[in-house]
Amino acid sequence: MIDFYYLPASAPCRAVMMLAKAIGVRLNLKIVDILKREQLKFSFIKINPQHSIPTLNDNGFILWERAIMIYLVSRYAKNDDLYPKNPRRKSIVDQRLYFDIGTLYKNVYNTYFDVMLGNIKQPLEKEVQDLEKSLEILNIFLQDTKFVAGNCLTIADFSIVATISTAEAFGFDIARYDNVAAWYKRCRNSMAKFDFEEINITGAKILGNMYKKNLKLETG
């Protein structure tokens, strides 16, 4: 049994859940409500001392963050299409994952989450500009390929599309970036059978609604 500690709204969690559907892995879902600080319970810290989600426990093998996707494909996928073994192709996928966690998702978080949590009234202009720069880079990544790490769907697309869906739910307009907009539509179609709407869009809307509620209250 593979236990998966998650929150439905979390973008990294949504990425793992869609990927699990794609490779036919069943997850035993265990909600950890970080807004209620459940991640700080002793029982969870004992599993993950960094007390972060997503966290996976595969019969005693414990892992967290986007490394979960690498593990699931390497361990359970029928082929290496989603995470290539070829060193150069694999490195591009890795780079895109690092771009997501270190730049793109970070900038989405910095731009919107303080407003969503009621800490500030509106996104800071500097944070918005940083996010826009991230989208410009992603647009360049996609100028010659169908997906973010080449012409085939990979785990990097699952990770980044969850991030972009979150930004859209907060009100960020990706239509300004032609390559990103076309890729997003492509991912939505390709991942429909992996519960893109049910898992990803539904989860993103939870965050978006929280954000818009606080933004409306504080600006209105």
Side-chain angles (χ1 to χ4, degrees):
M1 180 65 70
I2 301 177
D3 290 335
F4 184 63
Y5 299 86
Y6 82 116
L7 194 63
S10 162
C13 292
R14 286 184 264 128
V16 172
M17 292 170 70
M18 287 191 294
L19 176 67
K21 292 275 184 180
I23 62 177
V25 169
R26 184 177 178 181
L27 301 174
N28 181 34
L29 301 176
K30 294 178 174 286
I31 288 182
V32 177
D33 192 337
I34 59 176
L35 295 179
K36 296 180 179 177
R37 302 179 70 81
E38 291 179 354
Q39 77 277 19
L40 299 179
K41 289 183 176 179
F42 175 78
S43 58
F44 187 68
I45 292 178
K46 189 175 180 180
I47 296 170
N48 176 355
Q50 199 172 347
H51 49 78
S52 60
I53 54 170
T55 293
L56 178 134
N57 183 350
D58 185 0
N59 294 297
F61 179 73
I62 299 169
L63 199 63
W64 53 89
E65 291 292 356
R66 286 155 182 79
I68 292 171
M69 292 192 292
I70 295 173
Y71 169 73
L72 288 177
V73 171
S74 300
R75 176 72 175 82
Y76 293 106
K78 295 178 181 178
N79 54 53
D80 69 343
D81 290 348
L82 292 171
Y83 189 58
K85 293 179 180 177
N86 176 278
R88 291 191 176 184
R89 292 180 60 209
K90 174 179 175 292
S91 296
I92 295 297
V93 175
D94 290 341
Q95 189 277 323
R96 301 302 192 252
L97 286 174
Y98 301 154
F99 168 74
D100 184 31
I101 192 171
T103 302
L104 182 61
Y105 182 77
K106 175 185 176 183
N107 287 336
V108 170
Y109 184 96
N110 289 345
T111 301
Y112 296 110
F113 273 64
D114 271 341
V115 177
M116 186 188 78
L117 295 173
N119 297 327
I120 59 176
K121 295 180 179 181
Q122 293 183 347
L124 302 177
E125 184 59 30
K126 171 63 167 60
E127 306 296 354
V128 174
Q129 291 174 358
D130 287 344
L131 178 56
E132 290 172 339
K133 290 177 183 177
S134 299
L135 267 292
E136 290 169 7
I137 294 171
L138 180 59
N139 206 56
I140 292 171
F141 289 161
L142 289 159
Q143 64 186 2
D144 296 317
T145 61
K146 293 181 179 179
F147 295 100
V148 296
N151 288 318
C152 297
L153 192 71
T154 68
I155 60 174
D157 294 287
F158 284 85
S159 183
I160 292 177
V161 82
T163 298
I164 293 298
S165 297
T166 303
E168 266 214 319
F170 287 139
F172 189 88
D173 181 15
I174 68 169
R176 294 176 286 167
Y177 309 90
D178 292 346
N179 299 332
V180 174
W183 160 83
Y184 186 78
K185 183 177 180 180
R186 199 173 295 124
C187 284
R188 198 164 193 160
N189 292 333
S190 298
M191 298 179 189
K193 56 191 172 187
F194 311 138
D195 292 347
F196 185 93
E197 300 293 329
E198 296 87 340
I199 293 173
N200 187 45
I201 298 302
T202 299
K205 284 181 177 178
I206 294 172
L207 297 179
N209 289 338
M210 291 173 62
Y211 169 79
K212 290 170 185 175
K213 180 180 179 181
N214 278 338
L215 186 68
K216 181 179 180 181
L217 287 173
E218 301 215 14
T219 61

